[in-house]
Amino acid sequence: MSKSSENPQVPINPHPVSAAEVIPGDLVALAPEDVEAPRWYVVTHTLPESPETIRLTLRPPLGGVDRDEVLGRERPVTVACRRMDVAGVPRLSTPPLDDVEFRDEDRVGSLRAVDPGAVEVTFVRRWGAWHRDLDHCAESPVSDRDVRRWAADADREGFVVRHHPRPVREAAASGPRRVVVTGLGAVTPLGVGVDELWRGLLDGRHGIRELDDEEFRELPVRLAGTVPVDPVTLLPRAAARRMNRAAQFAVLAAREAWADAGFVDGGTVESGLDPARVGVSLGAILGDASVLVGGDRKLRDKGPRGVSPLTTPMTVPSQAASQVSLDLHITGEARTVTSACASGTEAIGQAIDRIRYGRVDLALAGGAEAVVTPAIMASFASMRALSQAGLAEGSPSRPFAKDRDGFVNGEGAGVLVLEAEEHARARGARIYCEAAGWGLSADAHHMAAPDPSGSGVALAVRRAVRDAGGYVVDVVHVNAHATATVEGDLAEAGALRAVLGRRSVPVTALKGHLGHLQGAAGGVEAIAAVLTLHHGVVPPTVGCREVDDAVGLDVVLGEPRELPADGDLALSNSFGFGGHNAVLALRRLGLA
């Protein structure tokens, strides 16, 4: 409906004339205010009405219905000093839309046809409302009632309104596969198992404890989110001795996710799967820093013979991924992602792509970390990154709060089973949601501090939404990274405001419940986002009694909140030292 080559933009050079001087093809404004508006008409026909009057038939220059005006011959009017081809101006009438059944993805074009310089404005229907821009959300959406009113008033107001039903989609012959989530497993400061995690999130409990071991006694900060159960007691002793603590967490979480996905104990072969079509993708920063520290102590105390031959293989960050592959006999691949605190989320994203493009059919993905050690704690304290608050008033980790003063170190593991949708449906698997997309970016700002502009975070968010094949208006929930550091929370909040625009989207942050699980944070927080979509409930943000005014987000506080229905994408954010930004986009099923 925008102007075509047959109706090029007409130069406007206003010039006063009398009505009697007007001829067909003239572009006319009937009053001075119409010139300013602008409101112009093409004269399609003139007819003497009487010795004193003349009848002009007028049509909007970009198309529309004709109207007749009887004017005194001496009546002053304004012409644009440019004649138009009357035959090239279409005669159009906007049909009523009262009986049209609108559907999401329908489009409506609105063209102010009396303005020769106008361009068509298109609105797209999404989640029951009409949006001018599905990604930037700078304007409030309009309702079905508004669109029907536009059509009813169009001819009278000099507009042309057209409704375009959504196109019929044809099934693609080939292309990237859809990836779904079919299993979840977690070991966190709230306990062992996903049920303990989810129940603790909804109940508003936290798992942050005082470190009372002798080795922590001299530290300025002795609070951390630690797993309350010794993982060694949950594994065969011989196997546990060959795993570092992070790998122990990962194997326990992977076993739970494996069973939750409907597979049997033992692994791939016992479950009737081809081991070469299954992969592992786990994130870790260090994995388990205590092994290397312990080896160094033994070297100092007992000499070279006192150092275990397992020290090196148990020190590498890839130990968790390799132990999961060993435990479940997975031979397709065992990948490790190390990108600071974004590691777990990036590992999930990489697994999505490996399945999308046919490298594997199924993957266990997430993160595992065990870095609650004296040296790491002392280092974070030296950076003044750790919270100085105590346990007397609840969680010392206070995301987005006015009184936040730093993060709380933590440990754990979160593992998801990701699967090609056709593979999952062929075996009758229960599907939690779609692992729809992911996005990465780098701040290139500082080795530890976030870019205060939040531009890198915003880029990763937009890339995740676009990779999911969605729009910003589809975002219905954000599980924020929000470590409770002053600068980091504000950078993330600013980025989310920049992306979400005027939309109010419920945001929650889990580090008040768990502390910061480092490389495992992305895996555990992705599980929470999956369950939020699956159950339709947003957990509250623990530790935050009053949101910082500068945050400007709809942070869920106090009680769980029902997930809104006007969207289908949940985002899980993870950002790390050095400017690593990773965002996961999950889509609930059955709404789009």
Side-chain angles (χ1 to χ4, degrees), residues 186 190 192-201 205 256 531 535:
L190 289 172
V192 176
V194 169
D195 287 345
E196 289 293 315
L197 170 65
W198 186 240
R199 192 159 46 242
L201 296 181
R205 291 187 281 111
E256 182 187 17
L531 293 174
H535 294 296

Side-chain angles (χ1 to χ4, degrees), residues 9 31 41 59 76 105 121 125 150 167 174 246 255 312 333 348 352 357 365-366 385 414 434 471 502 575:
Q9 185 168 343
Y41 294 92
R59 187 179 302 166
E105 298 183 44
V121 178
R125 194 175 190 269
W150 292 349
S174 62
R255 286 181 176 183
T312 298
E333 55 190 36
I348 295 170
I352 290 172
Y357 300 108
E434 179 187 357
Y471 301 94
R502 297 167 61 95
F575 317 120

Side-chain angles (χ1 to χ4, degrees), residues 23 185 343 359 393 440:
I23 63 175
S343 300
R359 303 298 188 266
E393 298 181 3
L440 292 178

Side-chain angles (χ1 to χ4, degrees), residues 10 13 39 64 112 127 152 215 280 325 331 343 420 570:
V10 177
N13 183 18
R39 188 180 297 110
R112 189 168 182 269
W127 307 112
E215 60 184 354
V280 180
S325 71
T331 64
S343 300

Side-chain angles (χ1 to χ4, degrees), residues 135-321:
D135 277 323
H136 293 94
C137 304
E139 301 176 4
S140 297
V142 298
S143 67
D144 289 347
R145 183 178 180 180
D146 291 328
V147 171
R148 297 186 199 282
R149 178 175 52 78
W150 292 349
D153 296 343
D155 289 349
R156 183 175 65 255
E157 299 293 336
F159 281 77
V160 175
V161 175
R162 284 287 183 268
H163 170 240
H164 307 281
R166 69 184 184 192
V168 177
R169 289 179 176 155
E170 297 183 2
S174 62
R177 300 189 295 180
R178 194 181 190 198
V179 182
V180 295
V181 180
T182 57
L184 305 172
V187 178
T188 75
L190 289 172
V192 176
V194 169
D195 287 345
E196 289 293 315
L197 170 65
W198 186 240
R199 192 159 46 242
L201 296 181
L202 296 183
D203 290 346
R205 291 187 281 111
H206 73 82
I208 296 171
R209 302 169 179 85
E210 186 169 358
L211 303 170
D212 53 12
D213 290 354
E214 178 70 25
E215 60 184 354
F216 295 103
R217 186 160 298 174
E218 301 301 321
L219 296 181
V221 177
R222 295 189 299 278
L223 296 179
T226 55
V227 174
V229 178
D230 185 353
V232 173
T233 64
L234 303 177
L235 294 165
R237 184 175 179 182
R241 288 181 63 249
R242 294 178 176 272
M243 301 181 200
N244 64 32
R245 186 174 174 85
Q248 292 166 0
F249 292 154
V251 168
L252 290 172
R255 286 181 176 183
E256 182 187 17
W258 188 255
D260 187 47
F263 299 119
V264 301
D265 292 346
T268 53
V269 176
E270 291 80 357
S271 299
L273 299 173
D274 178 357
R277 298 296 301 167
V278 182
V280 180
S281 181
L282 295 182
I285 302 175
L286 298 175
D288 184 351
S290 66
V291 176
L292 186 60
V293 173
D296 186 67
R297 284 178 180 170
K298 289 177 181 178
L299 176 64
R300 294 172 183 274
D301 294 342
K302 300 181 181 180
R305 292 182 180 274
V307 179
S308 167
L310 296 177
T311 300
T312 298
M314 289 176 62
T315 297
V316 293
S318 60
Q319 227 243 346

